[in-house]
Amino acid sequence: MTAREDVAEQATGSGPQVGGVGDYLSLVWSRVKGGETGVLPVVGGLLLVSILFQSLDGHFLTAGNLVNLLVQAAVFALLAMAEVFVLLLGEIDLSVGFVAGIGAVVLAWLSQPQVGWPWWAAIGAALLATAAIGLLQGTLITRIGLPSFVVTLAGLLFWQGVMLFVLGNGGSIQIQDPVLTGISSGTLSRLWGWVVMLVAVAGFAAVTWRRDARRRDSGLVAPPAALTGAKVGATLLAGIGLVLLVNADRGVLAPVFGLPWVVLVVVGVLVVWAYLLGRRRFGLYVYAVGGNAEAARRAGVNLARIRTAGFVLSALTAGIGGIVYASRLRSISTSLDGGTLVLYAVAGAVIGGTSLFGGRGKALHGVLGGVVIAAIDNGMGLLGFSAAAKYVVTAVVLLVAVTIDAVARRRRPA
Amino acid sequence: MADGASAPPLLSLRGVSKSFGPVHALTDVDLDVPAGAVTALAGDNGAGKSTLIKCIAGIHPPDSGEVLWEGQPARIHEPSDAAALGIQTVYQDLALCDNLDIVQNMFLGRERLRRGQLDDVSMEQAAAETLTELAVTTVRSVRQQVASLSGGQRQSVAIAKAVLWESKLVVMDEPTAALGVAQTRMVLDLVRTLADRGHAVLLISHNMVDVFDVADRVAVLRHGRMVGVRPIDQIDQRIVVDLMTTGTSDREPDVGSSGPRGARRTRDTDEGVQR
């Protein structure tokens, strides 16, 4: 048989014929085997960590601890999402920890009674300040062509210095505004928890259903209706589980219940960034630049603009993380360890499944990686381990995550 | 078909010269590239092949000489000028993003939007349609990442991308250089399909077998000068080598060496009947 006949023969079978649920799942599975593992490793890791801690200390999977875990994970998740943006571009941002600190300082300083800005204005100013920092660093990197590692390393030192200068040696600023402290400690009422969850799931269902139905109508490879329904059903079940969990009374002295606002903040940021990266042209260009900058340039993509925007969005997300951080501590002080925070942010993004080499990753990876890091911290804390042991275990998990990524990549035929 | 006097050739170069400092890369080059035909550009290393296609692609505008597009004088000073005329170049490195899928690569830089969002459905349909028209049917799914494709499939995607951009002239730089036998076959068939659909194709190749397999006309460059442009039935491999090395050839074309091409044509016809 000649090569030509071989090609002609393959031509008769026109692509994969997708009929039932089983066929579609096997197509998905073949992609996983081909190296497109997505979030599977990190979700598996999270389950493993949960089972391990629960078996060692029955307190891990209680409502009170899980809600506490979600609140602890918020800052890690937000900073890891910030890091995902620059990692996708094939760059790195070492400054996100102290950029978050600057956001927190601006927020705390402006909302003091003697300055007296309303909470929303203080939040706006904090986000504006961090975005401006991102613009400055991004411009240095893209227009002058400095390496992002060096510019953001300088940023790490510089913004730490600015923070110390503003706060004074060992100083701190208290946050008294009830709305600002409520971001981390406040909760929705039980009823509102249900309403918000149902609205969110309904929105997700509508979007998913419409997209899949349009693909089916156009004769493209699409999940069968049954699978779309199952996806929506599973999301609804997860939502019900979450609301039942947070609505359970977890108080010790007084009743405490309800969905923490900060969970909504993280989910909201996740949805917006996932939409931007997944559905908009800008997001596609971020992936293209990270995958092959020269190809993107020849296709007419403005590299400098996309890269600068990536650093701005990263710093902005870090600013949101800083606001959540300050809200949780009800103050900002020089004890903020931006160096460790940024390393946790990079680790979170990578544990979640984002590649350090650019072009592969999602906002969701940052959130999941942040939750894994918080879970290790939380679970080992319950077991009474020291900070030393936590660092060691986090390091091992990070190495395992990178190994999984490397092995999966080797299976991808290049 | 190429030498018909009725319509001007799609692209004509008249007296094109290009120097880089003291180096005369191209001197007084004339070349016609007609639609619906594959024009092969042969020449030894450093003969000016790459410079010539960069002049056509707008990367190095010529210093002097005239470029005629469909008989009208044209200015190609930027890659975007070339794209606007309908000239697409497939470089050796292919310029594909490994982390994007086939559809995203084919539409990179000219995405279709629907209410501000990427219109994946319409783009996927158009990409699948183009690949089917070009008989590129070995890919499992157009949503596959380019990283998972074979060399020939990647080359096919790069060519299909050029076709999708409503190109009239597709310039290819060594499309088969890194490919195995079956993959080369696939790409050469694609080149032939392109010409049969009415595109002009300008093909750079070192491989004489490929050139005589697929080309309708052969142009030979030597030291930056065009030393011969002949229809495929008036040239053979030994003449091309003579032209490449000495600039002239007294040989009579040997019918035997253009035989494979004739045989291939027959095979095509047979297949057409079978379908």
Side-chain angles (χ1 to χ4, degrees):
Chain A
M1 182 193 267
T2 67
R4 187 186 173 79
E5 283 166 334
D6 190 30
V7 170
E9 192 179 67
Q10 287 181 36
T12 53
S14 57
Q17 296 296 315
V18 177
V21 175
D23 290 348
Y24 188 81
L25 287 180
S26 74
L27 185 71
V28 171
W29 178 239
S30 75
R31 280 189 198 152
V32 171
K33 279 196 298 187
E36 295 173 44
T37 48
V39 296
L40 281 183
V42 65
V43 170
L46 203 51
L47 284 177
L48 207 69
V49 167
S50 306
I51 293 167
L52 185 70
F53 284 133
Q54 178 64 17
S55 62
L56 292 175
D57 179 331
H59 194 65
F60 184 77
L61 288 183
T62 57
N65 190 54
L66 284 182
V67 175
N68 194 17
L69 172 62
L70 288 180
V71 176
Q72 285 174 344
V75 173
F76 295 138
L78 287 165
L79 292 184
M81 272 196 277
E83 204 63 58
V84 166
F85 265 107
V86 283
L87 289 180
L88 278 179
L89 289 165
E91 309 276 351
I92 195 156
D93 190 336
L94 297 178
S95 69
V96 292
F98 282 111
V99 170
I102 292 289
V105 167
V106 171
L107 178 86
W109 199 80
L110 289 177
S111 66
Q112 294 174 100
Q114 56 269 44
V115 180
W117 282 37
W119 62 270
W120 49 269
I123 289 181
L127 295 182
L128 223 63
T130 53
I133 291 172
L135 183 63
L136 173 67
Q137 296 184 160
T139 304
L140 287 174
I141 291 161
T142 57
R143 304 285 170 183
I144 306 184
L146 304 177
S148 58
F149 186 91
V150 175
V151 171
T152 58
L153 180 61
L156 183 154
L157 298 169
F158 186 88
W159 303 116
Q160 182 175 17
V162 170
M163 243 184 86
L164 289 177
F165 184 75
V166 172
L167 294 176
N169 208 357
S172 70
I173 305 175
Q174 304 300 313
I175 295 179
Q176 285 150 22
D177 187 290
V179 176
L180 293 180
T181 54
I183 293 173
S184 280
S185 58
T187 58
L188 276 68
S189 74
R190 284 185 167 129
L191 178 63
W192 272 109
W194 284 110
V195 170
V196 167
M197 186 277 290
L198 287 175
V199 168
V201 171
F204 170 78
V207 169
T208 310
W209 187 266
R210 249 205 343 238
R211 185 180 310 159
D212 287 355
R214 185 155 176 259
R215 288 186 64 88
R216 276 193 293 274
D217 293 346
S218 315
L220 299 176
V221 175
L227 202 66
T228 310
K231 209 158 47 174
V232 170
T235 312
L236 182 63
L237 281 180
I240 291 173
L242 178 70
V243 174
L244 286 177
L245 180 77
V246 298
N247 278 355
D249 185 1
R250 55 181 179 269
V252 181
L253 302 172
V256 178
F257 53 82
L259 184 66
W261 279 102
V262 67
V263 173
L264 285 186
V265 171
V266 173
V267 172
V269 172
L270 170 65
V271 167
V272 173
W273 284 171
Y275 172 74
L276 188 65
L277 284 173
R279 307 290 313 150
R280 306 291 297 199
R281 179 154 56 185
F282 168 79
L284 180 66
Y285 286 174
V286 168
Y287 285 100
V289 171
N292 186 342
E294 175 59 20
R297 192 186 63 77
R298 283 197 212 150
V301 176
N302 185 333
L303 297 188
R305 192 183 300 163
I306 299 288
R307 286 198 177 121
T308 309
F311 279 96
V312 170
L313 290 174
S314 170
L316 180 70
T317 316
I320 300 172
I323 291 169
V324 169
Y325 179 93
S327 161
R328 183 145 167 264
L329 296 184
R330 295 167 184 263
S331 70
I332 182 69
S333 74
T334 51
S335 67
L336 178 132
D337 187 357
T340 306
L341 276 181
V342 74
L343 297 184
Y344 271 162
V346 176
V350 172
I351 288 172
T354 303
S355 168
L356 276 171
F357 305 103
R360 293 180 209 275
K362 291 178 169 177
L364 179 62
H365 294 166
V367 173
L368 292 175
V371 171
V372 168
I373 286 182
I376 294 168
D377 194 63
N378 174 299
M380 295 191 67
L382 286 181
L383 295 171
F385 282 103
S386 65
K390 289 180 189 171
Y391 284 135
V392 170
V393 171
T394 308
V396 171
V397 171
L398 175 62
L399 278 182
V400 170
V402 177
T403 309
I404 290 174
D405 181 49
V407 171
R409 178 148 316 152
R410 213 172 301 147
R411 292 176 67 171
R412 272 196 285 260
Chain B
M1 62 188 143
D3 305 286
S6 51
L10 185 66
L11 175 75
S12 295
L13 306 180
R14 290 286 171 263
V16 164
S17 297
K18 176 76 189 174
S19 301
F20 298 101
V23 180
H24 297 285
L26 294 175
T27 312
D28 210 15
V29 169
D30 292 355
L31 177 66
D32 287 347
V33 183
V38 178
T39 305
L41 188 59
D44 210 347
N45 287 339
K49 305 188 297 285
S50 294
T51 308
L52 185 62
I53 65 166
K54 281 175 181 164
C55 285
I56 297 172
I59 293 174
H60 297 317
D63 297 334
S64 61
E66 211 180 1
V67 177
L68 299 174
W69 181 256
E70 291 173 331
Q72 304 297 317
R75 287 164 52 91
I76 308 179
H77 285 197
E78 294 280 330
S80 57
D81 297 340
L85 288 175
I87 301 173
Q88 285 292 323
T89 307
V90 181
Y91 293 98
Q92 244 177 309
D93 67 1
L94 301 185
L96 297 173
C97 293
D98 274 354
N99 59 331
L100 301 185
D101 65 32
I102 295 174
V103 181
Q104 289 170 329
N105 266 293
M106 284 175 67
F107 277 92
L108 188 61
R110 54 169 359 185
E111 294 78 12
R112 291 187 190 166
L113 300 181
R114 187 167 170 264
R115 289 190 236 114
Q117 301 179 29
L118 295 170
D119 188 355
D120 285 332
V121 168
S122 140
M123 288 191 283
E124 189 168 334
Q125 281 174 323
E129 213 168 275
T130 305
L131 289 172
T132 309
E133 277 171 23
L134 297 176
V136 179
T137 42
T138 58
V139 295
R140 180 162 44 90
S141 152
V142 288
R143 284 293 172 197
Q144 237 179 308
Q145 285 191 356
V146 164
S148 67
L149 299 181
S150 70
Q153 287 172 331
R154 295 162 66 89
Q155 186 78 46
S156 302
V157 169
I159 295 170
K161 177 180 176 182
V163 172
L164 191 68
W165 287 48
E166 283 155 20
S167 56
K168 293 176 179 167
L169 166 62
V170 179
V171 182
M172 288 181 226
D173 189 0
E174 297 279 4
T176 59
L179 302 182
V181 176
Q183 307 270 347
T184 299
R185 180 75 264 148
M186 185 168 105
V187 170
L188 290 182
D189 285 343
L190 181 49
V191 169
R192 198 60 244 169
T193 308
L194 225 54
D196 292 345
R197 278 165 40 104
H199 289 84
V201 179
L202 181 61
L203 176 81
I204 290 192
S205 184
H206 265 101
N207 188 326
M208 283 302 134
V209 177
D210 289 358
V211 167
F212 279 88
D213 197 331
V214 79
D216 298 297
R217 306 162 71 247
V218 180
V220 183
L221 275 173
R222 178 171 179 269
H223 294 176
R225 291 177 187 274
M226 192 61 79
V227 291
V229 184
R230 299 193 193 178
I232 197 79
D233 51 9
Q234 292 170 29
I235 198 166
D236 64 22
Q237 295 198 19
R238 289 178 306 157
I239 300 177
V240 172
V241 172
D242 283 351
L243 289 170
M244 276 166 59
T245 49
T246 66
T248 56
S249 176
D250 307 328
R251 292 177 207 268
E252 287 297 310
D254 174 9
V255 183
S257 81
S258 62
R261 186 174 161 274
R264 183 180 53 73
R265 270 291 160 75
T266 316
R267 209 157 65 222
D268 276 358
T269 318
D270 289 349
E271 270 192 19
V273 172
Q274 279 165 16
R275 278 179 202 139

